[in-house]
Amino acid sequence: MFKLSPISIYIHIPWCLKKCGYCDFYSYVSKEIIPEKKYIDNLLKDLEKDLLLIEKRKINTIFIGGGTPSLLNKESIKKLIYGIKERAFVSHKAEISIEANPKTLEFQRFVDYKNAGINRFSLGIQTFHTHLLKKIERTYDSQEAINIIKETKKIIHNLNLDLMYGLPNQRLEDALLDLQYAIRYNPSHISWYQFTIEPNTSFYAQKPKLPNDDMIFKILIQGEKLLKKSGYKKYEISSYSKKNYECQHNLNYWNFGDYIGIGCGAHGKITQKNGKMIRTIKNKNINDFLNGNYLSSRNVISQKDKIFEYFMNVFRLYKPVFKKHFREKTNLNEIVIEKSIQKAIQSGFLINKINYWNTTKKGKNFLNLLLEIFLK
């Protein structure tokens, strides 16, 4: 019988104070009072329907993302966490994370979130330079960002800081100074990723001037040296952590684990005992969702998509990809990807060993080209 592992829950909170010009995540700008109570009630009903698909599998991680989840008050977060634990088998060691915006939090709310069961905070800092924050349309300044880190550190140790490099008109010294600021406050985890402009954003319609590729490469090389020297290990393309503080929720994604997605626009991937994988997508229309119409689509993932999605995730990690893991997570034999593997090896992207594959330095540097082989 196909082996089923523990599962994660992703919860989408769709409201924001302002839609940033580069953001392509699904969100609403909050101009009125948020219908928190009604949304939480519907989130829990949405969860109940998806729990029927997982047959009492243990929940190892919960991630509340958005949007801006920290807009919610303490009663809403408490009701949400307690409601999940009443309905699902949540591990007593579960990592429970919430994303937060420096503009929406105050110290007492941190305490209330922690008391409700949140044990990991992820602060969307992006940069400590006020002039760059303005360029990317964030709603706070550098001092507010610093203050929020100091306050959060008083009550919780498991803290991630989100930072971006390659911002409009950003210099090498700007990017390195961002890392130096972050390191000074000793977070357990730093997510440091390149600023990109996605379709369907206002920045895509009117593109700002970004640093050239040579500058991006210099920032990446020097930034990674600084992070390594400061005790942060790179375990994924854009993730750096202190020992034993890797993000367990994201590791589940990158290891092609299963997850329930609840809330407006949330995606889920749930493997059945027969090995079939179901992709769920929830309704993006907030009014429909609040009226109980949760599901937008539910489909079985094709073999082709399953293979591509598997490698799209596991190749992000800085560790070998074991062939046994491929078989367990996809319910496929590696013979179905033999031609793709050989092409990746011939291109210098992969090394083939008896029990595992490993990406070369070239493979990591040209990850999109490597993934194209498996897409075809």
Side-chain angles (χ1 to χ4, degrees), residues 192-214:
W192 189 53
Y193 48 96
Q194 185 178 346
F195 177 83
T196 56
I197 298 175
E198 303 293 342
N200 302 315
T201 63
S202 62
F203 278 12
Y204 189 80
Q206 192 170 359
K207 293 183 175 66
K209 183 179 180 181
L210 301 181
N212 61 38
D213 289 344
D214 287 342

mmCIF file with all atom_site columns, all heavy atoms in Angstrom, residues 192-214:
data_model
loop_
_atom_site.group_PDB
_atom_site.id
_atom_site.type_symbol
_atom_site.label_atom_id
_atom_site.label_alt_id
_atom_site.label_comp_id
_atom_site.label_asym_id
_atom_site.label_entity_id
_atom_site.label_seq_id
_atom_site.pdbx_PDB_ins_code
_atom_site.Cartn_x
_atom_site.Cartn_y
_atom_site.Cartn_z
_atom_site.occupancy
_atom_site.B_iso_or_equiv
_atom_site.pdbx_formal_charge
_atom_site.auth_seq_id
_atom_site.auth_comp_id
_atom_site.auth_asym_id
_atom_site.auth_atom_id
_atom_site.pdbx_PDB_model_num
ATOM 1   N N   . TRP A 1 192 ? 16.171 35.128 1.997   1.00 0.00 ? 192 TRP A N   1
ATOM 2   C CA  . TRP A 1 192 ? 16.811 36.200 1.223   1.00 0.00 ? 192 TRP A CA  1
ATOM 3   C C   . TRP A 1 192 ? 16.684 35.847 -0.248  1.00 0.00 ? 192 TRP A C   1
ATOM 4   O O   . TRP A 1 192 ? 17.346 34.931 -0.729  1.00 0.00 ? 192 TRP A O   1
ATOM 5   C CB  . TRP A 1 192 ? 18.272 36.325 1.640   1.00 0.00 ? 192 TRP A CB  1
ATOM 6   C CG  . TRP A 1 192 ? 18.991 37.518 1.085   1.00 0.00 ? 192 TRP A CG  1
ATOM 7   C CD1 . TRP A 1 192 ? 18.615 38.815 1.151   1.00 0.00 ? 192 TRP A CD1 1
ATOM 8   C CD2 . TRP A 1 192 ? 20.248 37.510 0.388   1.00 0.00 ? 192 TRP A CD2 1
ATOM 9   N NE1 . TRP A 1 192 ? 19.551 39.627 0.547   1.00 0.00 ? 192 TRP A NE1 1
ATOM 10  C CE2 . TRP A 1 192 ? 20.568 38.861 0.079   1.00 0.00 ? 192 TRP A CE2 1
ATOM 11  C CE3 . TRP A 1 192 ? 21.144 36.518 0.004   1.00 0.00 ? 192 TRP A CE3 1
ATOM 12  C CZ2 . TRP A 1 192 ? 21.730 39.218 -0.602  1.00 0.00 ? 192 TRP A CZ2 1
ATOM 13  C CZ3 . TRP A 1 192 ? 22.298 36.870 -0.670  1.00 0.00 ? 192 TRP A CZ3 1
ATOM 14  C CH2 . TRP A 1 192 ? 22.585 38.207 -0.960  1.00 0.00 ? 192 TRP A CH2 1
ATOM 15  N N   . TYR A 1 193 ? 15.799 36.530 -0.941  1.00 0.00 ? 193 TYR A N   1
ATOM 16  C CA  . TYR A 1 193 ? 15.498 36.117 -2.300  1.00 0.00 ? 193 TYR A CA  1
ATOM 17  C C   . TYR A 1 193 ? 15.510 37.304 -3.245  1.00 0.00 ? 193 TYR A C   1
ATOM 18  O O   . TYR A 1 193 ? 15.356 38.457 -2.836  1.00 0.00 ? 193 TYR A O   1
ATOM 19  C CB  . TYR A 1 193 ? 14.150 35.393 -2.365  1.00 0.00 ? 193 TYR A CB  1
ATOM 20  C CG  . TYR A 1 193 ? 13.016 36.093 -1.664  1.00 0.00 ? 193 TYR A CG  1
ATOM 21  C CD1 . TYR A 1 193 ? 12.141 36.918 -2.366  1.00 0.00 ? 193 TYR A CD1 1
ATOM 22  C CD2 . TYR A 1 193 ? 12.799 35.920 -0.292  1.00 0.00 ? 193 TYR A CD2 1
ATOM 23  C CE1 . TYR A 1 193 ? 11.098 37.562 -1.729  1.00 0.00 ? 193 TYR A CE1 1
ATOM 24  C CE2 . TYR A 1 193 ? 11.752 36.561 0.358   1.00 0.00 ? 193 TYR A CE2 1
ATOM 25  C CZ  . TYR A 1 193 ? 10.908 37.380 -0.367  1.00 0.00 ? 193 TYR A CZ  1
ATOM 26  O OH  . TYR A 1 193 ? 9.877  38.026 0.273   1.00 0.00 ? 193 TYR A OH  1
ATOM 27  N N   . GLN A 1 194 ? 15.679 36.996 -4.522  1.00 0.00 ? 194 GLN A N   1
ATOM 28  C CA  . GLN A 1 194 ? 15.798 38.056 -5.528  1.00 0.00 ? 194 GLN A CA  1
ATOM 29  C C   . GLN A 1 194 ? 14.440 38.677 -5.837  1.00 0.00 ? 194 GLN A C   1
ATOM 30  O O   . GLN A 1 194 ? 13.437 37.983 -6.010  1.00 0.00 ? 194 GLN A O   1
ATOM 31  C CB  . GLN A 1 194 ? 16.408 37.487 -6.811  1.00 0.00 ? 194 GLN A CB  1
ATOM 32  C CG  . GLN A 1 194 ? 16.676 38.549 -7.885  1.00 0.00 ? 194 GLN A CG  1
ATOM 33  C CD  . GLN A 1 194 ? 17.314 37.962 -9.127  1.00 0.00 ? 194 GLN A CD  1
ATOM 34  O OE1 . GLN A 1 194 ? 17.799 36.832 -9.120  1.00 0.00 ? 194 GLN A OE1 1
ATOM 35  N NE2 . GLN A 1 194 ? 17.300 38.722 -10.213 1.00 0.00 ? 194 GLN A NE2 1
ATOM 36  N N   . PHE A 1 195 ? 14.425 39.989 -5.900  1.00 0.00 ? 195 PHE A N   1
ATOM 37  C CA  . PHE A 1 195 ? 13.238 40.741 -6.301  1.00 0.00 ? 195 PHE A CA  1
ATOM 38  C C   . PHE A 1 195 ? 12.951 40.467 -7.774  1.00 0.00 ? 195 PHE A C   1
ATOM 39  O O   . PHE A 1 195 ? 13.826 40.587 -8.630  1.00 0.00 ? 195 PHE A O   1
ATOM 40  C CB  . PHE A 1 195 ? 13.493 42.231 -6.087  1.00 0.00 ? 195 PHE A CB  1
ATOM 41  C CG  . PHE A 1 195 ? 12.374 43.135 -6.523  1.00 0.00 ? 195 PHE A CG  1
ATOM 42  C CD1 . PHE A 1 195 ? 11.295 43.366 -5.690  1.00 0.00 ? 195 PHE A CD1 1
ATOM 43  C CD2 . PHE A 1 195 ? 12.406 43.769 -7.759  1.00 0.00 ? 195 PHE A CD2 1
ATOM 44  C CE1 . PHE A 1 195 ? 10.263 44.214 -6.076  1.00 0.00 ? 195 PHE A CE1 1
ATOM 45  C CE2 . PHE A 1 195 ? 11.383 44.614 -8.151  1.00 0.00 ? 195 PHE A CE2 1
ATOM 46  C CZ  . PHE A 1 195 ? 10.307 44.836 -7.302  1.00 0.00 ? 195 PHE A CZ  1
ATOM 47  N N   . THR A 1 196 ? 11.736 40.046 -8.063  1.00 0.00 ? 196 THR A N   1
ATOM 48  C CA  . THR A 1 196 ? 11.339 39.782 -9.454  1.00 0.00 ? 196 THR A CA  1
ATOM 49  C C   . THR A 1 196 ? 10.019 40.487 -9.739  1.00 0.00 ? 196 THR A C   1
ATOM 50  O O   . THR A 1 196 ? 9.236  40.761 -8.828  1.00 0.00 ? 196 THR A O   1
ATOM 51  C CB  . THR A 1 196 ? 11.187 38.277 -9.727  1.00 0.00 ? 196 THR A CB  1
ATOM 52  O OG1 . THR A 1 196 ? 10.244 37.725 -8.789  1.00 0.00 ? 196 THR A OG1 1
ATOM 53  C CG2 . THR A 1 196 ? 12.517 37.553 -9.594  1.00 0.00 ? 196 THR A CG2 1
ATOM 54  N N   . ILE A 1 197 ? 9.784  40.756 -10.994 1.00 0.00 ? 197 ILE A N   1
ATOM 55  C CA  . ILE A 1 197 ? 8.548  41.406 -11.413 1.00 0.00 ? 197 ILE A CA  1
ATOM 56  C C   . ILE A 1 197 ? 7.707  40.382 -12.174 1.00 0.00 ? 197 ILE A C   1
ATOM 57  O O   . ILE A 1 197 ? 8.124  39.866 -13.209 1.00 0.00 ? 197 ILE A O   1
ATOM 58  C CB  . ILE A 1 197 ? 8.834  42.637 -12.288 1.00 0.00 ? 197 ILE A CB  1
ATOM 59  C CG1 . ILE A 1 197 ? 9.636  43.678 -11.479 1.00 0.00 ? 197 ILE A CG1 1
ATOM 60  C CG2 . ILE A 1 197 ? 7.540  43.250 -12.797 1.00 0.00 ? 197 ILE A CG2 1
ATOM 61  C CD1 . ILE A 1 197 ? 10.070 44.873 -12.279 1.00 0.00 ? 197 ILE A CD1 1
ATOM 62  N N   . GLU A 1 198 ? 6.531  40.087 -11.634 1.00 0.00 ? 198 GLU A N   1
ATOM 63  C CA  . GLU A 1 198 ? 5.659  39.064 -12.190 1.00 0.00 ? 198 GLU A CA  1
ATOM 64  C C   . GLU A 1 198 ? 4.565  39.692 -13.045 1.00 0.00 ? 198 GLU A C   1
ATOM 65  O O   . GLU A 1 198 ? 4.183  40.854 -12.839 1.00 0.00 ? 198 GLU A O   1
ATOM 66  C CB  . GLU A 1 198 ? 5.023  38.253 -11.059 1.00 0.00 ? 198 GLU A CB  1
ATOM 67  C CG  . GLU A 1 198 ? 6.012  37.591 -10.112 1.00 0.00 ? 198 GLU A CG  1
ATOM 68  C CD  . GLU A 1 198 ? 6.818  36.497 -10.768 1.00 0.00 ? 198 GLU A CD  1
ATOM 69  O OE1 . GLU A 1 198 ? 6.396  36.005 -11.840 1.00 0.00 ? 198 GLU A OE1 1
ATOM 70  O OE2 . GLU A 1 198 ? 7.872  36.118 -10.216 1.00 0.00 ? 198 GLU A OE2 1
ATOM 71  N N   . PRO A 1 199 ? 4.032  38.927 -14.020 1.00 0.00 ? 199 PRO A N   1
ATOM 72  C CA  . PRO A 1 199 ? 2.872  39.407 -14.781 1.00 0.00 ? 199 PRO A CA  1
ATOM 73  C C   . PRO A 1 199 ? 1.689  39.700 -13.847 1.00 0.00 ? 199 PRO A C   1
ATOM 74  O O   . PRO A 1 199 ? 1.643  39.211 -12.716 1.00 0.00 ? 199 PRO A O   1
ATOM 75  C CB  . PRO A 1 199 ? 2.565  38.234 -15.713 1.00 0.00 ? 199 PRO A CB  1
ATOM 76  C CG  . PRO A 1 199 ? 3.853  37.475 -15.814 1.00 0.00 ? 199 PRO A CG  1
ATOM 77  C CD  . PRO A 1 199 ? 4.517  37.623 -14.481 1.00 0.00 ? 199 PRO A CD  1
ATOM 78  N N   . ASN A 1 200 ? 0.769  40.475 -14.313 1.00 0.00 ? 200 ASN A N   1
ATOM 79  C CA  . ASN A 1 200 ? -0.442 40.828 -13.559 1.00 0.00 ? 200 ASN A CA  1
ATOM 80  C C   . ASN A 1 200 ? -0.140 41.650 -12.305 1.00 0.00 ? 200 ASN A C   1
ATOM 81  O O   . ASN A 1 200 ? -0.853 41.561 -11.306 1.00 0.00 ? 200 ASN A O   1
ATOM 82  C CB  . ASN A 1 200 ? -1.236 39.576 -13.187 1.00 0.00 ? 200 ASN A CB  1
ATOM 83  C CG  . ASN A 1 200 ? -1.634 38.758 -14.399 1.00 0.00 ? 200 ASN A CG  1
ATOM 84  O OD1 . ASN A 1 200 ? -2.088 39.306 -15.402 1.00 0.00 ? 200 ASN A OD1 1
ATOM 85  N ND2 . ASN A 1 200 ? -1.442 37.444 -14.313 1.00 0.00 ? 200 ASN A ND2 1
ATOM 86  N N   . THR A 1 201 ? 0.954  42.413 -12.344 1.00 0.00 ? 201 THR A N   1
ATOM 87  C CA  . THR A 1 201 ? 1.260  43.359 -11.270 1.00 0.00 ? 201 THR A CA  1
ATOM 88  C C   . THR A 1 201 ? 1.428  44.747 -11.895 1.00 0.00 ? 201 THR A C   1
ATOM 89  O O   . THR A 1 201 ? 1.724  44.867 -13.088 1.00 0.00 ? 201 THR A O   1
ATOM 90  C CB  . THR A 1 201 ? 2.545  42.975 -10.522 1.00 0.00 ? 201 THR A CB  1
ATOM 91  O OG1 . THR A 1 201 ? 3.672  43.038 -11.430 1.00 0.00 ? 201 THR A OG1 1
ATOM 92  C CG2 . THR A 1 201 ? 2.453  41.569 -9.943  1.00 0.00 ? 201 THR A CG2 1
ATOM 93  N N   . SER A 1 202 ? 1.289  45.778 -11.086 1.00 0.00 ? 202 SER A N   1
ATOM 94  C CA  . SER A 1 202 ? 1.427  47.135 -11.629 1.00 0.00 ? 202 SER A CA  1
ATOM 95  C C   . SER A 1 202 ? 2.864  47.410 -12.058 1.00 0.00 ? 202 SER A C   1
ATOM 96  O O   . SER A 1 202 ? 3.105  48.172 -12.998 1.00 0.00 ? 202 SER A O   1
ATOM 97  C CB  . SER A 1 202 ? 0.970  48.165 -10.590 1.00 0.00 ? 202 SER A CB  1
ATOM 98  O OG  . SER A 1 202 ? 1.768  48.108 -9.421  1.00 0.00 ? 202 SER A OG  1
ATOM 99  N N   . PHE A 1 203 ? 3.843  46.787 -11.381 1.00 0.00 ? 203 PHE A N   1
ATOM 100 C CA  . PHE A 1 203 ? 5.239  46.968 -11.777 1.00 0.00 ? 203 PHE A CA  1
ATOM 101 C C   . PHE A 1 203 ? 5.520  46.336 -13.135 1.00 0.00 ? 203 PHE A C   1
ATOM 102 O O   . PHE A 1 203 ? 6.430  46.763 -13.848 1.00 0.00 ? 203 PHE A O   1
ATOM 103 C CB  . PHE A 1 203 ? 6.180  46.356 -10.734 1.00 0.00 ? 203 PHE A CB  1
ATOM 104 C CG  . PHE A 1 203 ? 6.430  47.253 -9.539  1.00 0.00 ? 203 PHE A CG  1
ATOM 105 C CD1 . PHE A 1 203 ? 5.667  48.390 -9.315  1.00 0.00 ? 203 PHE A CD1 1
ATOM 106 C CD2 . PHE A 1 203 ? 7.442  46.959 -8.632  1.00 0.00 ? 203 PHE A CD2 1
ATOM 107 C CE1 . PHE A 1 203 ? 5.897  49.214 -8.223  1.00 0.00 ? 203 PHE A CE1 1
ATOM 108 C CE2 . PHE A 1 203 ? 7.680  47.779 -7.536  1.00 0.00 ? 203 PHE A CE2 1
ATOM 109 C CZ  . PHE A 1 203 ? 6.902  48.905 -7.330  1.00 0.00 ? 203 PHE A CZ  1
ATOM 110 N N   . TYR A 1 204 ? 4.757  45.315 -13.495 1.00 0.00 ? 204 TYR A N   1
ATOM 111 C CA  . TYR A 1 204 ? 4.954  44.660 -14.794 1.00 0.00 ? 204 TYR A CA  1
ATOM 112 C C   . TYR A 1 204 ? 4.532  45.594 -15.918 1.00 0.00 ? 204 TYR A C   1
ATOM 113 O O   . TYR A 1 204 ? 5.148  45.622 -16.980 1.00 0.00 ? 204 TYR A O   1
ATOM 114 C CB  . TYR A 1 204 ? 4.152  43.359 -14.853 1.00 0.00 ? 204 TYR A CB  1
ATOM 115 C CG  . TYR A 1 204 ? 4.453  42.504 -16.060 1.00 0.00 ? 204 TYR A CG  1
ATOM 116 C CD1 . TYR A 1 204 ? 5.595  41.702 -16.081 1.00 0.00 ? 204 TYR A CD1 1
ATOM 117 C CD2 . TYR A 1 204 ? 3.609  42.499 -17.164 1.00 0.00 ? 204 TYR A CD2 1
ATOM 118 C CE1 . TYR A 1 204 ? 5.874  40.912 -17.188 1.00 0.00 ? 204 TYR A CE1 1
ATOM 119 C CE2 . TYR A 1 204 ? 3.884  41.706 -18.272 1.00 0.00 ? 204 TYR A CE2 1
ATOM 120 C CZ  . TYR A 1 204 ? 5.018  40.921 -18.273 1.00 0.00 ? 204 TYR A CZ  1
ATOM 121 O OH  . TYR A 1 204 ? 5.306  40.140 -19.365 1.00 0.00 ? 204 TYR A OH  1
ATOM 122 N N   . ALA A 1 205 ? 3.481  46.366 -15.666 1.00 0.00 ? 205 ALA A N   1
ATOM 123 C CA  . ALA A 1 205 ? 2.989  47.309 -16.672 1.00 0.00 ? 205 ALA A CA  1
ATOM 124 C C   . ALA A 1 205 ? 3.938  48.495 -16.841 1.00 0.00 ? 205 ALA A C   1
ATOM 125 O O   . ALA A 1 205 ? 4.099  49.028 -17.927 1.00 0.00 ? 205 ALA A O   1
ATOM 126 C CB  . ALA A 1 205 ? 1.593  47.797 -16.283 1.00 0.00 ? 205 ALA A CB  1
ATOM 127 N N   . GLN A 1 206 ? 4.574  48.892 -15.732 1.00 0.00 ? 206 GLN A N   1
ATOM 128 C CA  . GLN A 1 206 ? 5.512  50.012 -15.770 1.00 0.00 ? 206 GLN A CA  1
ATOM 129 C C   . GLN A 1 206 ? 6.745  49.615 -14.971 1.00 0.00 ? 206 GLN A C   1
ATOM 130 O O   . GLN A 1 206 ? 6.851  49.880 -13.783 1.00 0.00 ? 206 GLN A O   1
ATOM 131 C CB  . GLN A 1 206 ? 4.863  51.269 -15.188 1.00 0.00 ? 206 GLN A CB  1
ATOM 132 C CG  . GLN A 1 206 ? 5.652  52.533 -15.453 1.00 0.00 ? 206 GLN A CG  1
ATOM 133 C CD  . GLN A 1 206 ? 4.869  53.774 -15.071 1.00 0.00 ? 206 GLN A CD  1
ATOM 134 O OE1 . GLN A 1 206 ? 3.732  53.700 -14.626 1.00 0.00 ? 206 GLN A OE1 1
ATOM 135 N NE2 . GLN A 1 206 ? 5.493  54.933 -15.243 1.00 0.00 ? 206 GLN A NE2 1
ATOM 136 N N   . LYS A 1 207 ? 7.669  48.945 -15.637 1.00 0.00 ? 207 LYS A N   1
ATOM 137 C CA  . LYS A 1 207 ? 8.795  48.310 -14.964 1.00 0.00 ? 207 LYS A CA  1
ATOM 138 C C   . LYS A 1 207 ? 9.792  49.339 -14.412 1.00 0.00 ? 207 LYS A C   1
ATOM 139 O O   . LYS A 1 207 ? 10.246 50.221 -15.140 1.00 0.00 ? 207 LYS A O   1
ATOM 140 C CB  . LYS A 1 207 ? 9.528  47.360 -15.914 1.00 0.00 ? 207 LYS A CB  1
ATOM 141 C CG  . LYS A 1 207 ? 8.722  46.143 -16.334 1.00 0.00 ? 207 LYS A CG  1
ATOM 142 C CD  . LYS A 1 207 ? 9.547  45.215 -17.219 1.00 0.00 ? 207 LYS A CD  1
ATOM 143 C CE  . LYS A 1 207 ? 8.803  43.949 -17.536 1.00 0.00 ? 207 LYS A CE  1
ATOM 144 N NZ  . LYS A 1 207 ? 7.614  44.155 -18.361 1.00 0.00 ? 207 LYS A NZ  1
ATOM 145 N N   . PRO A 1 208 ? 10.156 49.212 -13.144 1.00 0.00 ? 208 PRO A N   1
ATOM 146 C CA  . PRO A 1 208 ? 11.223 50.058 -12.589 1.00 0.00 ? 208 PRO A CA  1
ATOM 147 C C   . PRO A 1 208 ? 12.588 49.552 -13.052 1.00 0.00 ? 208 PRO A C   1
ATOM 148 O O   . PRO A 1 208 ? 12.719 48.410 -13.511 1.00 0.00 ? 208 PRO A O   1
ATOM 149 C CB  . PRO A 1 208 ? 11.054 49.876 -11.074 1.00 0.00 ? 208 PRO A CB  1
ATOM 150 C CG  . PRO A 1 208 ? 10.469 48.505 -10.929 1.00 0.00 ? 208 PRO A CG  1
ATOM 151 C CD  . PRO A 1 208 ? 9.592  48.304 -12.133 1.00 0.00 ? 208 PRO A CD  1
ATOM 152 N N   . LYS A 1 209 ? 13.594 50.386 -12.920 1.00 0.00 ? 209 LYS A N   1
ATOM 153 C CA  . LYS A 1 209 ? 14.949 49.998 -13.316 1.00 0.00 ? 209 LYS A CA  1
ATOM 154 C C   . LYS A 1 209 ? 15.562 49.121 -12.227 1.00 0.00 ? 209 LYS A C   1
ATOM 155 O O   . LYS A 1 209 ? 15.651 49.511 -11.068 1.00 0.00 ? 209 LYS A O   1
ATOM 156 C CB  . LYS A 1 209 ? 15.815 51.237 -13.541 1.00 0.00 ? 209 LYS A CB  1
ATOM 157 C CG  . LYS A 1 209 ? 17.221 50.908 -14.035 1.00 0.00 ? 209 LYS A CG  1
ATOM 158 C CD  . LYS A 1 209 ? 18.041 52.170 -14.279 1.00 0.00 ? 209 LYS A CD  1
ATOM 159 C CE  . LYS A 1 209 ? 19.442 51.820 -14.768 1.00 0.00 ? 209 LYS A CE  1
ATOM 160 N NZ  . LYS A 1 209 ? 20.266 53.044 -14.993 1.00 0.00 ? 209 LYS A NZ  1
ATOM 161 N N   . LEU A 1 210 ? 16.005 47.926 -12.627 1.00 0.00 ? 210 LEU A N   1
ATOM 162 C CA  . LEU A 1 210 ? 16.584 46.972 -11.683 1.00 0.00 ? 210 LEU A CA  1
ATOM 163 C C   . LEU A 1 210 ? 18.085 46.830 -11.927 1.00 0.00 ? 210 LEU A C   1
ATOM 164 O O   . LEU A 1 210 ? 18.585 47.110 -13.025 1.00 0.00 ? 210 LEU A O   1
ATOM 165 C CB  . LEU A 1 210 ? 15.908 45.608 -11.839 1.00 0.00 ? 210 LEU A CB  1
ATOM 166 C CG  . LEU A 1 210 ? 14.397 45.556 -11.627 1.00 0.00 ? 210 LEU A CG  1
ATOM 167 C CD1 . LEU A 1 210 ? 13.885 44.135 -11.795 1.00 0.00 ? 210 LEU A CD1 1
ATOM 168 C CD2 . LEU A 1 210 ? 14.012 46.108 -10.270 1.00 0.00 ? 210 LEU A CD2 1
ATOM 169 N N   . PRO A 1 211 ? 18.849 46.396 -10.934 1.00 0.00 ? 211 PRO A N   1
ATOM 170 C CA  . PRO A 1 211 ? 20.282 46.146 -11.121 1.00 0.00 ? 211 PRO A CA  1
ATOM 171 C C   . PRO A 1 211 ? 20.514 45.115 -12.229 1.00 0.00 ? 211 PRO A C   1
ATOM 172 O O   . PRO A 1 211 ? 19.690 44.215 -12.424 1.00 0.00 ? 211 PRO A O   1
ATOM 173 C CB  . PRO A 1 211 ? 20.724 45.601 -9.752  1.00 0.00 ? 211 PRO A CB  1
ATOM 174 C CG  . PRO A 1 211 ? 19.703 46.089 -8.783  1.00 0.00 ? 211 PRO A CG  1
ATOM 175 C CD  . PRO A 1 211 ? 18.415 46.138 -9.546  1.00 0.00 ? 211 PRO A CD  1
ATOM 176 N N   . ASN A 1 212 ? 21.633 45.243 -12.942 1.00 0.00 ? 212 ASN A N   1
ATOM 177 C CA  . ASN A 1 212 ? 21.914 44.300 -14.018 1.00 0.00 ? 212 ASN A CA  1
ATOM 178 C C   . ASN A 1 212 ? 22.380 42.945 -13.448 1.00 0.00 ? 212 ASN A C   1
ATOM 179 O O   . ASN A 1 212 ? 22.616 42.794 -12.248 1.00 0.00 ? 212 ASN A O   1
ATOM 180 C CB  . ASN A 1 212 ? 22.951 44.877 -14.999 1.00 0.00 ? 212 ASN A CB  1
ATOM 181 C CG  . ASN A 1 212 ? 24.287 45.185 -14.328 1.00 0.00 ? 212 ASN A CG  1
ATOM 182 O OD1 . ASN A 1 212 ? 24.760 44.457 -13.462 1.00 0.00 ? 212 ASN A OD1 1
ATOM 183 N ND2 . ASN A 1 212 ? 24.903 46.291 -14.731 1.00 0.00 ? 212 ASN A ND2 1
ATOM 184 N N   . ASP A 1 213 ? 22.536 41.973 -14.336 1.00 0.00 ? 213 ASP A N   1
ATOM 185 C CA  . ASP A 1 213 ? 22.863 40.607 -13.905 1.00 0.00 ? 213 ASP A CA  1
ATOM 186 C C   . ASP A 1 213 ? 24.203 40.533 -13.180 1.00 0.00 ? 213 ASP A C   1
ATOM 187 O O   . ASP A 1 213 ? 24.355 39.759 -12.227 1.00 0.00 ? 213 ASP A O   1
ATOM 188 C CB  . ASP A 1 213 ? 22.877 39.665 -15.116 1.00 0.00 ? 213 ASP A CB  1
ATOM 189 C CG  . ASP A 1 213 ? 21.477 39.416 -15.668 1.00 0.00 ? 213 ASP A CG  1
ATOM 190 O OD1 . ASP A 1 213 ? 20.503 39.719 -14.948 1.00 0.00 ? 213 ASP A OD1 1
ATOM 191 O OD2 . ASP A 1 213 ? 21.357 38.927 -16.808 1.00 0.00 ? 213 ASP A OD2 1
ATOM 192 N N   . ASP A 1 214 ? 25.174 41.312 -13.633 1.00 0.00 ? 214 ASP A N   1
ATOM 193 C CA  . ASP A 1 214 ? 26.494 41.306 -12.979 1.00 0.00 ? 214 ASP A CA  1
ATOM 194 C C   . ASP A 1 214 ? 26.378 41.788 -11.533 1.00 0.00 ? 214 ASP A C   1
ATOM 195 O O   . ASP A 1 214 ? 26.996 41.224 -10.625 1.00 0.00 ? 214 ASP A O   1
ATOM 196 C CB  . ASP A 1 214 ? 27.482 42.202 -13.744 1.00 0.00 ? 214 ASP A CB  1
ATOM 197 C CG  . ASP A 1 214 ? 27.923 41.572 -15.061 1.00 0.00 ? 214 ASP A CG  1
ATOM 198 O OD1 . ASP A 1 214 ? 27.748 40.354 -15.220 1.00 0.00 ? 214 ASP A OD1 1
ATOM 199 O OD2 . ASP A 1 214 ? 28.426 42.318 -15.924 1.00 0.00 ? 214 ASP A OD2 1
#
